[in-house]
Amino acid sequence: AALRALATDGIQAGHMTLHARSVVKAAGAPAELFNEVLERVLQSGEIKVWKAQQVLDEVRRSAPADRKTAPRRLPEAGVGVGYGKIILLGEHAVVHGRHAIGCPVPLTIRAVVEDGDRGVELLIPRWGVEYQLAKPPEQRRSFEQAAGAILDKLGLADRTLRIEVFPDVPRSMGLGGSAALAVAIVRAPDLHFRLGLTDVEVNELAYLSEQTAHGQPSGIDNTLATYGRPLVYRRGSPPLVELLNIPTPLSIVVGMTQSEGLTARTVANVSEARRRNPRLYEKIFDDIDSLVLQAVSAIQDSDVTTLGDLMNINQGLLNALQVSTPELERLIDVARDAGAAGAKLTGGGGGGAMIALCGDSTTADVQQAIERQGFRTLLVTPGAVQ
Ligand code: PMV
């Protein structure tokens, strides 16, 4: 029953935000005002098109300087940042001890802590989340669990404080949103209370939170969310974390499907399948590992064609693990037809996002081809000076 309550809780918050986003879209909010209108509609509790139109009119009428109820801007200092990520090759196999390559995306989750007035409050207005942290861990619901595990460990669960979160990494897209959230939630109190945590400690706390949220994470997501640099990762104690040198920047188009990724479920399914047939699955993980190691060489040789081939073969093996979906396959096909050197899903699969490696001349074509099918894209250029 507790598990059901947790799931329902998260799903309701997710549905509410998804519904609100489509309502705000239907009201015709332009991209530059979208988040502001969304936040105000969510705060009003009236998730209706007429309300969104009313809010949009108000936002348009008020000059930015004198918007009395404008959403809070992030302060300059004291902002905890966690990075979103893509996995270039090696997801799932990395859970089972093989290497994977991860790169940050230009999207982050930021959090700030303020003194509060009633226990610990966790606010994520953009996702419609507003929680009063229940002190006994067993009474905590969905989002609270991961944040609560961090605050328990930091000895802050009994304090009065408000954590406000500003998420730019989309949720459940295989882009490491939960880990970026965890890192932001560790770093914000660290800065506010001057705890002096090292990156290693931040990473460990975020891993703890990932375990609470996911069950059996490899640790690559929290490591990327902490360091925000391209890296090769293999789990272990301690894990292997090697910064990846990318001599020629890569051009990668991320295509987001319209279905949420189901990382916890796909990871559990793969582990269950491996349990039934260990020899077969260990062989697939070894094959993926070999692709990852070849990919490291291809990146270092600036060999986009070989890297693309390796990504395509990795996708074939992810199919063998049954973590792809027809929608992901469609986007992968579209990207390959438009000239991508290679394309595969990224992250947990079961929905979420795919990535397409492009040569210089194909990036725009691939991005447009995916967008023409009605899907959102994001350009990631690992190795480029940010
Ligand atoms: O879906 P994401 O962004 O959480 O990525 C999951 C990556 C996996 O390899 C499938 C799981 C893991 O913990 O490494």
Side-chain angles (χ1 to χ4, degrees), residues 200-250:
V200 172
E201 288 167 324
V202 169
N203 194 16
E204 275 169 14
L205 284 163
Y207 182 59
L208 181 80
S209 149
E210 283 282 274
Q211 278 176 313
T212 312
H214 267 243
Q216 44 163 338
S218 66
I220 189 171
D221 280 16
N222 46 281
T223 305
L224 248 308
T226 302
Y227 295 99
R229 308 268 299 276
L231 48 86
V232 180
Y233 179 91
R234 196 189 58 219
R235 76 187 300 178
S237 13
L240 170 117
V241 180
E242 260 180 41
L243 293 183
L244 181 64
N245 172 35
I246 307 183
T248 309
L250 303 172

Side-chain angles (χ1 to χ4, degrees), residues 109-330:
I109 294 192
R110 292 162 193 262
V112 286
V113 167
E114 292 174 337
D115 296 328
D117 39 31
R118 41 181 197 133
V120 177
E121 291 166 83
L122 177 64
L123 308 177
I124 316 179
R126 207 170 286 167
W127 292 351
V129 170
E130 195 167 315
Y131 281 147
Q132 183 77 37
L133 191 86
K135 280 200 196 112
E138 62 284 359
Q139 286 171 21
R140 292 177 186 156
R141 303 160 298 169
S142 62
F143 283 108
E144 283 181 280
Q145 298 238 333
I150 292 168
L151 293 167
D152 287 340
K153 208 75 183 166
L154 292 175
L156 297 173
D158 290 335
R159 303 281 273 268
T160 24
L161 56 105
R162 184 180 305 121
I163 306 175
E164 189 168 352
V165 180
F166 302 79
D168 287 331
V169 183
R171 257 201 301 176
S172 306
M173 272 296 136
L175 300 179
S178 69
L181 176 65
V183 168
I185 290 180
V186 175
R187 286 207 195 274
D190 174 42
L191 294 168
H192 185 78
F193 295 108
R194 296 179 204 282
L195 303 174
L197 297 178
T198 62
D199 280 350
V200 172
E201 288 167 324
V202 169
N203 194 16
E204 275 169 14
L205 284 163
Y207 182 59
L208 181 80
S209 149
E210 283 282 274
Q211 278 176 313
T212 312
H214 267 243
Q216 44 163 338
S218 66
I220 189 171
D221 280 16
N222 46 281
T223 305
L224 248 308
T226 302
Y227 295 99
R229 308 268 299 276
L231 48 86
V232 180
Y233 179 91
R234 196 189 58 219
R235 76 187 300 178
S237 13
L240 170 117
V241 180
E242 260 180 41
L243 293 183
L244 181 64
N245 172 35
I246 307 183
T248 309
L250 303 172
S251 184
I252 293 174
V253 175
V254 179
M256 294 174 228
T257 69
Q258 275 147 13
S259 328
E260 297 204 336
L262 306 166
T263 303
R265 190 182 301 168
T266 54
V267 168
N269 288 350
V270 170
S271 292
E272 175 53 22
R274 182 206 161 274
R275 199 192 54 73
R276 286 196 305 270
N277 212 333
R279 288 248 302 276
L280 202 55
Y281 276 76
E282 287 297 321
K283 171 83 174 68
I284 296 174
F285 300 146
D286 282 341
D287 288 345
I288 293 177
D289 196 45
S290 149
L291 297 176
V292 173
L293 298 178
Q294 293 175 66
V296 172
S297 303
I299 290 170
Q300 260 136 30
D301 295 344
S302 303
D303 183 350
V304 172
T305 308
T306 302
L307 182 59
D309 287 344
L310 294 166
M311 288 169 64
N312 286 334
I313 297 168
N314 191 170
Q315 175 61 22
L317 293 174
L318 286 162
N319 257 311
L321 298 179
Q322 299 168 50
V323 296
S324 193
T325 65
E327 205 183 11
L328 282 165
E329 293 301 318
R330 184 173 143 214

